[in-house]
Amino acid sequence: MVLAFIINNYYGLFIALGIGLMSIPFRVGRGIGASLISFSIVFEAGLPYLPNFLQGLGMNPLDIELGMPTSAQLNNALTYMTTILIPTAMTSLLIMPLVYLGILSGLSMGLSYAIGGSQKLPIPVEIF
């Protein structure tokens, strides 16, 4: 949420700073300027769709069906927590959002290479 707040409020500043860095002569700030511009564009557009990504995978933390614990599981609360509750919470609250942020970071890196005018692409592409 902190990342979303910073990007939502200061994305214009990131773009302006990126343009300023790209305008430094002799390509000194071209890479970091392009990275700032692409970061602000991709994350401003993609970060609001994180709940939709989690919902599509069935990992929305607000809609998780943990099932009713049986009386044996209630008697052994530690087993219930370690087999059902903690893995589900870790997957929906930590792992899948990090996967989504990794996808957005990859898109941001690709856009950075395109904006920066780099001769090399981040992935090897052979046309012929």
Side-chain angles (χ1 to χ4, degrees), residues 3-77:
L3 182 65
F5 177 77
I6 290 170
I7 293 170
N8 192 25
N9 289 330
Y10 299 111
Y11 72 92
L13 178 69
F14 289 143
I15 291 175
L17 187 61
I19 291 171
L21 285 171
M22 284 184 68
S23 66
I24 296 175
F26 306 114
R27 298 185 186 192
V28 174
R30 178 175 281 187
I32 190 69
S35 296
L36 279 173
I37 293 171
S38 66
F39 171 79
S40 62
I41 291 172
V42 169
F43 277 79
E44 176 68 21
L47 209 52
Y49 293 106
L50 175 61
N52 294 343
F53 177 76
L54 294 176
Q55 184 71 32
L57 294 175
M59 291 290 167
N60 193 348
L62 300 176
D63 296 335
I64 292 177
E65 296 278 337
L66 294 177
M68 294 299 293
T70 63
S71 60
Q73 288 174 330
L74 286 176
N75 290 336
N76 193 357

